Amino acid sequence: MTLPKVGGEVPLPTQGRPVGPHYVEGRLLPENTVPQVPLRAPLPGLSAEAPLPRPAGKGFERAAVRVPTADLRTLTPGLSMDAPVAAPDAEAADLTTLKEPQAALRTPVLRTAPTAHLGLGSL
């Protein structure tokens, strides 16, 4: 008698290097105040095979499924903001002027393309 077989793969996530904050002319706070961090990991893989009963005659002897690892790329959410005070102007008499505060939320990103293979066969 053939026994069922099950196997799997455990992913190991790796962190990438985020693009850090950088200063832009005319802004008091740096852009990318909270940077997005890239993470990369494969989705877990799975393989399973089970024997099928053959009540009469010839037929398929096993059923199998194989889900290979799929590359998964993500970016964490990020934040970019600016203060409600404009940068001082050397030509103006005023030291600072007020302006509308700005905030931009950078959405998370998730990219992958998983696949699966199903099959019936004979041993």
Side-chain angles (χ1 to χ4, degrees):
M1 177 177 187
T2 307
L3 296 175
K5 297 177 188 176
V6 177
E9 299 174 36
V10 179
L12 179 63
T14 56
Q15 178 181 341
R17 185 172 154 231
V19 176
H22 59 277
Y23 289 95
V24 176
E25 188 175 336
R27 294 176 59 129
L28 290 179
L29 296 176
E31 193 169 332
N32 288 339
T33 309
V34 177
Q36 290 182 294
V37 178
L39 297 173
R40 189 174 184 174
L43 290 175
L46 171 74
S47 63
E49 184 178 301
L52 294 175
R54 292 186 304 159
K58 292 186 176 184
F60 296 114
E61 296 178 358
R62 65 183 173 95
V65 61
R66 189 172 67 87
V67 181
T69 59
D71 192 28
L72 174 67
R73 295 174 186 225
T74 64
L75 276 174
T76 61
L79 179 67
S80 189
M81 55 193 302
D82 197 13
V85 179
D89 186 8
E91 296 177 6
D94 299 337
L95 291 176
T96 59
T97 57
L98 295 177
K99 66 176 190 172
E100 291 184 17
Q102 298 174 352
L105 178 66
R106 301 213 162 127
T107 59
V109 177
L110 176 68
R111 293 183 188 152
T112 188
T115 59
H117 306 283
L118 303 172
L120 296 171
S122 59
L123 295 175

